[in-house]
Amino acid sequence: MRLNKLELRNYRNYSELSLAFPNRLNIFLGENAQGKTNLLESIYVLALTRSHRTSSEQELIGWHEDFAQIKGRIERGTSELELELLLTKKGRKSKVNHIEQKKLSSYIGQLNVILFAPEDLSLVKGSPQMRRRFIDMELGQINPVYLYDLAQYQQTLKQRNLYLKQLSEKKQTDEIYLDILTEQLVDFGSKVLANRLQFIKKLEYWSNDLHSKITNQKETLAIQYDASIPIESEAVEAIRTVFMNELVKNRKREIFKGNTFLGPHRDDLIFMVNQQNVQTYGSQGQQRTTALSVKLAEIDLMKEETGEYPILLLDDVMSELDDSRQIHLLETIENKVQTFLTTTTLNHVKGKMTVHPDIFYVQQGQIERKET
């Protein structure tokens, strides 16, 4: 998979931009706050219709403008696709080959990207919410139906929590509607959980292999899915039975507290290095190596699931890694993945890759391309 061309209109600090990417490695070079990250973000938004930096689409639209537009020409196998995303104050429209896609699941997955930013090095020691978001964004690209089930789950959860609060405050007394919402929550939640469990098992396989190489076979990595309900099977029906039983057991407590305590929205991941919890007992180096292994594992996992390597977006992450981890990262992606990298200096890549990059100098939203 490759992005051959990117066009922007009124996107953040880019009023109009058109770039072609003939090579596999593309470096955006410049000082901070010039627009390098905005470029990577636009590719991410083109793929997933949302930003990793903000939940407000208004922030993506240029100052005093009514809309922002992102277009991309991508290459998948032997075919080319035209993707287009239009962002307005009223919402967004997505098109594939100039045909509007009404369903998100019809659009997401056309362009697969993996973003690696400095904050991803906190994947291990960060919040459970960060790890759940990581699962949702990566799994959603591989399996767009998962995004539908997750959206339905989140919508039902919101309705259920609102009704639990009304029951708690005695504004409602009828629990029949709660039964209906619980059925729906369990239905969608069981599908979400089943897909997550299968994804984590595959991610663990690829991550452990990479982690072993980075640590010269000194460490093994295991990833455990820490569910808020006792799961013994990956089968949807088995999960459904357990989930329903647990909600029934906790009903009085949930009504009293006015909140849903159990489900995918409360789950987490546990990373084990040499059978020790690296979140609790690991050094900063071990935590960073684990995060790097997990992020790079997505490359081969996506290839296995979709038949295409994803595009890799590296947002100023090289400066956060020591020489050894930089080399392992570059060796993993070389000649395999189209990569877009932002940096303030070329020192991190000089002499470490055989691939010749295209270098784009970024200054105050203006870009000058240097051929190498």
Side-chain angles (χ1 to χ4, degrees):
M1 182 174 292
R2 288 183 60 166
L3 176 64
N4 291 331
K5 188 176 182 181
L6 176 71
E7 295 179 51
L8 303 179
R9 281 189 68 192
N10 304 332
Y11 187 88
R12 290 212 187 249
N13 67 329
Y14 293 99
S15 56
E16 197 152 348
L17 179 69
S18 179
L19 293 175
F21 306 112
N23 290 332
R24 282 198 171 274
L25 178 58
N26 303 277
I27 297 176
F28 299 123
L29 179 67
E31 298 299 321
N32 291 326
Q34 301 300 305
K36 302 189 305 296
T37 295
N38 291 347
L39 279 169
L40 255 62
E41 179 192 44
S42 71
I43 299 172
Y44 187 90
V45 173
L46 182 67
L48 290 160
T49 75
R50 65 184 66 186
S51 169
H52 63 289
R53 299 159 72 195
T54 177
S55 57
S56 171
E57 290 184 354
Q58 185 61 41
E59 290 183 26
L60 308 181
I61 301 172
W63 193 250
H64 296 313
E65 301 292 347
D66 296 323
F67 73 94
Q69 186 181 49
I70 313 171
K71 288 184 178 181
R73 185 184 303 146
I74 66 168
E75 187 179 318
R76 294 187 59 176
T78 57
S79 62
E80 273 198 340
L81 289 175
E82 298 275 352
L83 300 184
E84 180 183 339
L85 196 64
L86 183 68
L87 307 172
T88 69
K89 295 172 183 177
K90 295 180 180 178
R92 58 180 179 247
K93 287 184 180 179
S94 55
K95 294 181 180 179
V96 178
N97 287 338
H98 312 291
I99 299 172
E100 187 174 346
Q101 306 297 305
K102 297 294 185 182
K103 293 182 179 178
L104 198 62
S105 58
S106 301
Y107 181 84
I108 292 180
Q110 302 291 341
L111 172 62
N112 292 328
V113 298
I114 293 171
L115 172 72
F116 197 4
E119 57 265 27
D120 289 308
L121 290 166
S122 301
L123 177 67
V124 174
K125 64 180 180 180
S127 67
Q129 183 181 7
M130 185 179 185
R131 288 184 284 277
R132 287 193 296 269
R133 177 179 167 81
F134 159 74
I135 297 172
D136 294 339
M137 299 309 285
E138 311 313 330
L139 180 51
Q141 293 186 76
I142 295 169
N143 181 6
V145 176
Y146 170 81
L147 283 181
Y148 171 80
D149 290 331
L150 179 65
Q152 295 300 309
Y153 175 83
Q154 290 171 336
Q155 184 178 342
T156 306
L157 176 66
K158 191 175 180 180
Q159 293 173 328
R160 189 174 188 270
N161 282 340
L162 178 61
Y163 200 70
L164 281 169
K165 189 176 181 182
Q166 290 173 343
L167 288 169
S168 173
E169 294 171 350
K170 310 297 184 186
K171 293 178 181 177
Q172 296 284 352
T173 56
D174 185 3
E175 293 187 19
I176 294 176
Y177 184 53
L178 180 61
D179 291 336
I180 294 169
L181 291 172
T182 301
E183 283 279 346
Q184 292 174 349
L185 191 80
V186 167
D187 184 39
F188 292 115
S190 301
K191 295 173 187 175
V192 167
L193 281 167
N195 276 301
R196 282 185 180 180
L197 291 168
Q198 292 163 16
F199 173 74
I200 294 304
K201 183 182 286 186
K202 292 171 183 174
L203 185 67
E204 180 187 55
Y205 169 79
W206 290 107
S207 298
N208 183 42
D209 184 58
L210 279 163
H211 194 93
S212 180
K213 288 175 183 174
I214 294 173
T215 60
N216 295 315
Q217 280 70 49
K218 292 178 182 176
E219 294 179 357
T220 58
L221 172 63
I223 307 174
Q224 298 173 4
Y225 188 83
D226 187 20
S228 56
I229 61 172
I231 297 176
E232 296 180 358
S233 169
E234 294 177 11
V236 174
E237 281 308 310
I239 295 171
R240 194 181 194 290
T241 300
V242 173
F243 196 2
M244 180 60 78
N245 289 342
E246 291 297 313
L247 287 177
V248 169
K249 278 196 293 186
N250 284 273
R251 172 173 285 210
K252 287 184 180 178
R253 180 168 164 251
E254 287 188 333
I255 291 175
F256 179 73
K257 293 287 188 179
N259 200 12
T260 303
F261 298 114
L262 305 169
H265 64 290
R266 289 295 182 96
D267 294 351
D268 199 358
L269 294 178
I270 298 174
F271 300 98
M272 306 289 289
V273 171
N274 290 347
Q275 300 179 324
Q276 293 286 324
N277 186 327
V278 74
Q279 282 128 306
T280 306
Y281 302 107
S283 65
Q284 186 183 51
Q286 285 179 315
Q287 292 173 346
R288 287 194 163 205
T289 299
T290 299
L292 180 61
S293 302
V294 170
K295 292 298 291 188
L296 292 180
E298 295 179 76
I299 294 170
D300 289 306
L301 176 52
M302 279 198 184
K303 172 66 163 61
E304 181 184 56
E305 293 295 307
T306 67
E308 293 269 353
Y309 280 114
I311 289 169
L312 185 61
L313 309 175
L314 300 175
D315 189 15
D316 201 26
V317 77
M318 299 296 287
S319 61
E320 300 290 327
L321 301 171
D322 59 26
D323 285 349
S324 173
R325 292 184 181 92
Q326 284 179 18
I327 290 168
H328 277 290
L329 187 156
L330 294 170
E331 284 178 347
T332 302
I333 65 177
E334 193 164 24
N335 296 314
K336 184 159 63 174
V337 186
Q338 186 187 26
T339 302
F340 296 86
L341 183 154
T342 69
T343 184
T344 55
T345 173
L346 293 174
N347 292 340
H348 307 307
V349 290
K350 272 184 178 176
K352 295 175 183 175
M353 293 192 79
T354 58
V355 173
H356 294 292
D358 269 359
I359 299 172
F360 299 85
Y361 291 94
V362 183
Q363 187 173 15
Q364 294 182 342
Q366 300 297 314
I367 295 183
E368 180 185 349
R369 180 168 172 261
K370 176 185 176 183
E371 304 210 11
T372 60

